Amino acid sequence: MSRDGIMRVETMDENRKNELTNWGWNGALEEQYEKRDPSLHPARVIRESGRLCLLVTEEGELQAQVSGAFGYRAFSRSDFPVVGDWVLYRGASEGQGVIEVIMERKSCFSRKEAGDRTEEQPLAANIDVIFLVFAVNGGRNFTTGGLERYLTLAWESGARPVIVLNKADLCPEEERDAFLLSAENSAPGVDIHMISAATGEGLGELKSGFKAGTTVSLVGPSGVGKSTLINALSGAELQKTSAQREQDKRGRHTTTHRQMFRLPSGLLMIDTPGLRELQLWADEDALDEAFRDISALAAGCRFRDCRHEGEPGCAVQEALLSGELEQRRYESYLDLRRELSYLKTRQDSQAARLEREKWKDISKLQKAFKHRKR
Ligand code: GDP
Ligand code: ZN
C-alpha cells in the first residue's frame, strides 16, 4: 500500500475512534472488541423499538435489525439489545445493518415487567452515573425512605448513584443543611449536589464533575424537575415538562421513544419511558451497598447469617440500642429486604417455569428435526 494509502487508513481509524469515543467508547470496550471477528463493526444503540435499532457507528447513524440467530438464541428479553448497548454489527446492505452480538454490559437498568409476570425488563444498558433527583421545596418530595429505595435500585444497576437535590431556590437558606445532612446519613459515601434547574444554581459544578462521554440517566419521583434539569443541562427544550405533558394528554397523542442523546457538554443522556419511575428489581447485594453502615455493623454479629431480628450477639441490635443506628433507617432496611425476598420467591418459581418451557421447545425442535431427516 502507498504511503498515501496508509495515511488514509490511519485517518479513518482515528475518525472511528473519535466518533465512537464521543458516544462512550473506551479502552475496556476496545479490548473486548479486539478478540472478536474483525468483520464485525462496533456501534452503540441510541434508539430501540423491538428488533429494530438506531445505531451510531464509526460512520454515523445506521438503522439495524437483530440477526435471525437472536430468535433461536434469545430466551428472555434481556438477551435483546436495549438503548445504551454496545453491539457488533455486520456490514450494511441497503442502508441496514445486522446486529450479531451484544457486547458485555457494564450496567443494566431493569424493571419488573408490568402486570403479573415477574420477568426482568431491561430498559437501558451501560449507564455510568445515575442522578437520583429529589426536590427540597418541602412537602412530600424528599423522604429518606424514598432516597434509600432509589439508592438500592441504583446500586443494583451497576451505575454510580449521585444525589441531586433540586429546587434549591425554593428552599430557605436555614433549611438547606438539614436536607444535606439527612441525605448524607441515608446515603453514606455518595456525592450530593444541591441545585436549582430553574435558576441554574449549582449546574456548572454538577456538569463539570463528569467527563465527556459519560452516560447518565436520571430517576426520581414525578414533579421534582427531571425534565427541567435535562433541558437546563442541554441548554435547549429537549424534554417536555410535566405542564407540557399534561397539555399533550388533552391534545393530540404523542409517541414516546426509548432514546439516548448527547448534550453540548458531551454528557450522554438516556431518558427512556419507564426508567424514571422504577419498580424494585434488585438483590441483597444491592441492599448491602445501599445500607453500607448496616453491612459494616453486621460484620460484628455473632452469627454469620444473622438477620438482625433479635438473634443473640447481634451488633445491629446493639447499635440500635446505643442510638448509633437510627430506628427509622433500620426499619427501612427491613422493609426493603422483605420486598426483595418476596420478589425473589416469585422470580424463582417463574425461572423454573421458563426452564421447563425452554426444554419443551428444544425437544419440539429436535422432534421436528428428526422428522425432516426421515
Ligand atoms: P419531572 O416530572 O420530574 O420531569 O418534573 P418537571 O421538570 O416537569 O418539573 C415540575 C415542575 O417543577 C415544573 O413546573 C417546573 O417548572 C418546576 N421546577 C423544576 N425545577 C425547578 C427548580 O429548580 N426550581 C423551581 N422553583 N421550580 C422548578
Ligand atoms: Zn445481627
Side-chain angles (χ1 to χ4, degrees):
M1 200 184 275
S2 72
R3 260 179 100 113
D4 192 14
I6 291 168
M7 291 263 293
R8 228 176 282 140
V9 169
E10 274 172 3
T11 324
M12 246 193 69
D13 258 16
E14 277 312 302
N15 282 345
R16 179 192 102 194
K17 290 227 180 79
N18 288 343
E19 183 57 13
L20 292 183
T21 306
N22 281 339
W23 289 93
W25 185 257
N26 58 34
L29 287 162
E30 187 76 40
E31 216 170 273
Q32 252 193 76
Y33 175 54
E34 275 163 6
K35 295 185 207 123
R36 296 290 188 164
D37 175 353
S39 70
L40 298 177
H41 309 283
R44 195 163 192 192
V45 178
I46 58 170
R47 193 194 299 161
E48 169 262 314
S49 43
R51 284 168 190 234
L52 205 64
C53 296
L54 182 65
L55 308 180
V56 274
T57 73
E58 45 217 22
E59 281 144 13
E61 293 186 1
L62 177 72
Q63 287 278 358
Q65 239 177 326
V66 297
S67 78
F70 270 85
Y72 311 115
R73 274 202 313 250
F75 281 108
S76 82
R77 299 178 67 153
S78 53
D79 297 323
F80 285 93
V82 293
V83 171
D85 261 325
W86 285 100
V87 297
L88 300 178
Y89 71 97
R90 201 171 287 287
S93 74
E94 289 165 16
Q96 255 216 3
V98 177
I99 298 170
E100 297 284 355
V101 177
I102 301 176
M103 294 176 81
E104 205 179 295
R105 287 174 180 153
K106 189 182 155 241
S107 66
C108 185
F109 236 108
S110 304
R111 70 169 167 192
K112 189 177 85 61
E113 209 175 54
D116 273 347
R117 289 166 62 91
T118 320
E119 201 186 346
E120 176 181 5
Q121 183 187 12
L123 297 167
N126 301 315
I127 295 173
D128 300 308
V129 175
I130 182 119
F131 290 167
L132 310 183
V133 189
F134 297 91
V136 288
N137 57 330
R140 54 178 182 84
N141 274 325
F142 174 81
T143 63
T144 41
L147 176 58
E148 282 154 352
R149 188 189 171 82
Y150 277 102
L151 205 54
T152 305
L153 278 169
W155 283 121
E156 170 67 13
S157 73
R160 177 164 75 89
V162 168
I163 295 168
V164 177
L165 302 177
N166 187 33
K167 303 199 186 180
D169 56 301
L170 298 179
C171 181
E173 198 66 47
E174 64 276 12
E175 286 175 24
R176 289 187 173 201
D177 283 349
F179 275 115
L180 285 171
L181 195 66
S182 84
E184 262 171 45
N185 286 337
S186 300
V190 178
D191 284 349
I192 302 168
H193 290 262
M194 192 174 275
I195 64 148
S196 167
T199 67
E201 180 193 338
L203 275 189
E205 208 180 311
L206 179 65
K207 267 193 282 194
S208 67
F210 308 98
K211 61 176 197 305
T214 304
T215 305
V216 295
S217 199
L218 32 77
V219 300
S222 76
V224 296
K226 294 181 296 295
S227 309
T228 313
L229 176 56
I230 293 178
N231 290 337
L233 288 172
S234 64
E237 289 276 310
L238 281 178
Q239 294 301 309
K240 295 191 161 131
T241 60
S242 22
Q244 289 166 315
R245 288 195 302 270
E246 263 317 300
Q247 221 159 30
D248 282 346
K249 268 187 218 158
R250 274 179 252 123
R252 76 204 142 77
H253 179 71
T254 49
T255 48
T256 41
H257 282 296
R258 305 181 183 285
Q259 175 119 29
M260 167 170 173
F261 43 88
R262 202 160 89 220
L263 303 177
S265 63
L267 279 189
L268 305 170
M269 177 65 71
I270 297 186
D271 183 38
T272 78
L275 187 59
R276 293 170 161 205
E277 307 86 12
L278 284 157
Q279 287 195 55
L280 202 57
W281 181 279
D283 62 20
E284 290 212 0
D285 288 345
L287 192 67
D288 287 342
E289 284 275 16
F291 290 86
R292 278 188 214 168
D293 47 345
I294 295 185
S295 351
L297 286 168
C301 294
R302 185 182 305 162
F303 302 113
R304 257 189 56 198
D305 58 351
C306 183
R307 306 291 287 166
H308 328 306
E309 288 179 299
E311 291 91 334
C314 173
V316 174
Q317 293 286 338
E318 253 168 56
L320 272 176
L321 284 176
S322 74
E324 185 193 345
L325 176 64
E326 228 184 313
Q327 181 72 26
R328 186 212 57 76
R329 183 156 167 83
Y330 169 71
E331 276 163 17
S332 169
Y333 169 83
L334 289 188
D335 281 351
L336 284 167
R337 194 175 69 185
R338 223 167 280 135
E339 200 173 335
L340 289 176
S341 83
Y342 170 70
L343 190 66
K344 180 79 170 49
T345 320
R346 292 195 34 171
Q347 232 172 297
D348 289 348
S349 58
Q350 183 115 17
R353 192 176 56 72
L354 283 175
E355 190 67 13
R356 280 198 302 276
E357 277 171 12
K358 177 168 133 185
W359 284 107
K360 237 190 268 167
D361 283 352
I362 289 174
S363 66
K364 240 189 256 165
L365 270 173
Q366 280 173 336
K367 270 185 209 146
F369 193 63
K370 273 191 205 144
H371 213 67
R372 224 176 41 191
K373 273 206 292 199
R374 259 190 249 135

